[in-house]
Amino acid sequence: MMYEDFIRRRIAELRERKGISEYQLSYALGRSRGYIYNISSGKALPPLKELLAIIEYFGITPLEFFREESRFPDLVSKVTEGVCELEEQEIKCLLEVIGQMCLARRIIRDLSPKAEVDNPGNGDGTDEELDAEIPVEV
């Protein structure tokens, strides 16, 4: 049941990010008007072939669909495609930029009184999303 809920939530999340209705997605997949509604509401689950069609519609891989920690799998897919065209030194530079962005984000979070109100942590600096280290080897 946990995986079924994940599939429903993930389809809804991707659909909403794309800014399309359940009906529009159903239509784009060549299905009946209520097809995606039935999936979202828990009345049905797509068979594997249809799930793969949904995943393909969003322009991502099955791995990206099922990777829970990726909030923006469509964007990650585009970044991955771009990175594959880079040379090694360019990728190292990109990793350095990512590391600096994560560091800046942590510093801003730590200095912002509003951030503590909006995202109260437990005070031990273990805020997983923001404190996750990105390994950078240059």
Side-chain angles (χ1 to χ4, degrees):
M1 192 65 129
M2 178 176 69
Y3 296 114
E4 293 174 5
D5 290 340
F6 173 80
I7 290 170
R8 289 183 178 98
R9 281 193 318 273
R10 189 60 144 185
I11 291 170
E13 171 189 321
L14 293 169
R15 180 185 58 74
E16 290 167 7
R17 280 190 40 77
K18 196 166 182 76
I20 60 172
S21 68
E22 291 173 340
Y23 168 73
Q24 289 170 314
L25 180 54
S26 296
Y27 181 77
L29 296 168
R31 306 298 289 184
S32 68
R33 178 181 184 95
Y35 180 69
I36 295 298
Y37 170 78
N38 288 335
I39 292 170
S40 299
S41 67
K43 294 179 182 178
L45 272 177
L48 180 58
K49 186 175 180 178
E50 288 296 321
L51 179 59
L52 293 174
I54 292 168
I55 291 169
E56 185 177 326
Y57 172 82
F58 289 114
I60 60 176
T61 66
L63 177 63
E64 292 161 334
F65 180 86
F66 286 104
R67 183 175 284 151
E68 289 187 65
E69 67 275 5
S70 179
R71 294 183 316 176
F72 309 106
D74 50 337
L75 297 176
V76 171
S77 179
K78 289 178 183 177
V79 169
T80 302
E81 288 175 19
V83 168
C84 288
E85 296 179 19
L86 299 177
E87 297 296 326
E88 181 180 9
Q89 193 57 38
E90 294 167 325
I91 294 171
K92 288 178 180 180
C93 289
L94 182 58
L95 283 172
E96 190 171 319
V97 169
I98 292 169
Q100 292 298 317
M101 290 174 74
C102 291
L103 176 62
R105 188 173 183 203
R106 284 193 301 273
I107 291 170
I108 290 169
R109 185 224 41 223
D110 290 346
L111 294 176
S112 173
K114 183 176 182 340
E116 188 60 35
V117 172
D118 290 346
N119 295 315
N122 56 10
D124 65 1
T126 58
D127 191 359
E128 293 176 307
E129 179 184 345
L130 297 176
D131 288 336
E133 291 295 324
I134 305 247
V136 178
E137 294 182 19
V138 180

